[in-house]
Amino acid sequence: KQEVTQIPAALSVPEGENLVLNCSFTDSAIYNLQWFRQDPGKGLTSLLLIQSSQREQTSGRLNASLDKSSGRSTLYIAASQPGDSATYLCAVNYGGSQGNLIFGKGTKLSVKP
Amino acid sequence: SAVISQKPSRDICQRGTSLTIQCQVDSQVTMMFWYRQQPGQSLTLIATANQGSEATYESGFVIDKFPISRPNLTFSTLTVSNMSPEDSSIYLCSAKGSLTQDTQYFGPGTRLTVL
C-alpha cells in the first residue's frame, strides 16, 4: 500500500530558528511530490513541487529536497517567522500527469514570537 | 497558477437532505478532483471528475452518495446526498493540467456540518 508519513505531527519553535519537516513514502516509484501549507479553516496553498528527476526545489526561505531511493523528502524553512505557523502537508503523486495526490497527515508548526 | 473558487464556503444541513457544491477554475484544466478532509484528519480523495463522462471513484465512495458532474474544462459539482452527521467534513475541489502543468491547486473548501 502506498502511504505517506509525516514526522513530527506537531512542532513548536521560537522565531528565527531554522527547521526541517520530514516526509516519508513507502513506494519510491513516485512521479512527483508536492508540499502544501494549510491555515486553520482554509484550503491548501501549494509551496513547492519536486519532480521525480529533481533533487531539490527552492522558493524564498523554503527548500524542499527529494531522495527517492530512501523514500524521503524534507522541507527546510529558514529564519522562521510567526506567519509561518500553519499545518504543512506532504503529498505524493504516483500516477503521472493524470494521477492524484496521496497525502500525509501533516505537521502542525507553531512559531512563537 | 490556477485560482479555484467554491460555493458555498460553508453550510449547515439537516440529516437526509442533499447539498451540491460548485467548483470553478479560472483557466481550463485537464484534471479535476474532489477531496474530503474529516475533522483533524488529512485529505482523502473522493473521485476524479472526468469531463463529459462519469467520474472515477475511489474505494469507499460511490456515485449514489457523491454524484459528480463536470460539463466543461473549468467547472465541476459534487453533491453529498442523503446526508448524515458522519458527512460533516471539509470538501475540497482540486485541479491541475494545461497551464498549471503538474502543480495541483486547491480551492478554499466547503465546510459542511450535518445536524
Side-chain angles (χ1 to χ4, degrees):
Chain A
K1 182 180 178 183
Q2 295 164 336
E3 293 184 343
V4 179
T5 303
Q6 291 186 248
I7 295 174
L11 181 64
S12 180
V13 301
E15 181 177 5
E17 191 163 298
N18 302 324
L19 59 100
V20 174
L21 306 181
N22 295 295
C23 172
S24 61
F25 41 93
T26 53
D27 184 346
S28 63
I30 71 171
Y31 179 74
N32 59 38
L33 182 147
Q34 202 166 342
W35 282 93
F36 294 89
R37 166 187 174 138
Q38 185 174 32
D39 293 284
K42 306 289 187 182
L44 277 66
T45 300
S46 177
L47 298 174
L48 289 163
L49 170 75
I50 308 179
Q51 301 288 1
S52 63
S53 59
Q54 297 174 323
R55 295 299 301 269
E56 65 178 336
Q57 282 286 334
T58 298
S59 176
R61 295 183 292 109
L62 305 179
N63 176 277
S65 68
L66 175 64
D67 184 344
K68 281 198 310 178
S69 61
S70 65
R72 292 182 180 179
S73 176
T74 62
L75 180 67
Y76 175 83
I77 303 177
S80 58
Q81 303 170 357
D84 294 330
S85 298
T87 296
Y88 290 80
L89 294 162
C90 169
V92 176
N93 174 9
Y94 289 101
S97 61
Q98 297 188 341
N100 60 278
L101 293 172
I102 299 173
F103 280 84
K105 292 186 176 181
T107 294
K108 186 174 182 180
L109 173 65
S110 176
V111 181
K112 300 189 181 303
Chain B
S1 67
V3 177
I4 303 175
S5 59
Q6 287 184 232
K7 287 195 293 188
S9 58
R10 59 176 63 223
D11 207 342
I12 300 173
C13 301
Q14 296 297 319
R15 180 195 297 262
T17 63
S18 298
L19 176 72
T20 295
I21 303 168
Q22 297 180 3
C23 175
Q24 179 73 54
V25 188
D26 70 341
S27 60
Q28 292 187 347
V29 290
T30 307
M31 308 297 293
M32 293 185 76
F33 307 96
W34 286 98
Y35 287 82
R36 181 175 74 181
Q37 187 175 29
Q38 294 179 302
Q41 302 297 313
S42 191
L43 281 76
T44 300
L45 181 67
I46 297 172
T48 301
N50 299 309
Q51 194 254 331
S53 65
E54 191 172 290
T56 304
Y57 290 85
E58 296 299 301
S59 176
F61 298 96
V62 295
I63 188 171
D64 290 346
K65 177 66 175 178
F66 297 102
I68 288 170
S69 78
R70 189 181 171 191
N72 56 49
L73 294 176
T74 63
F75 185 79
S76 178
T77 67
L78 168 73
T79 298
V80 185
S81 302
N82 188 25
M83 289 183 285
S84 66
E86 292 72 34
D87 294 320
S88 297
S89 291
I90 299 174
Y91 292 85
L92 296 114
C93 174
S94 178
K96 70 173 183 179
S98 191
L99 292 179
T100 78
Q101 298 185 329
D102 281 335
T103 300
Q104 194 161 328
Y105 292 91
F106 282 78
T110 295
R111 183 180 293 272
L112 171 62
T113 301
V114 184
L115 303 178

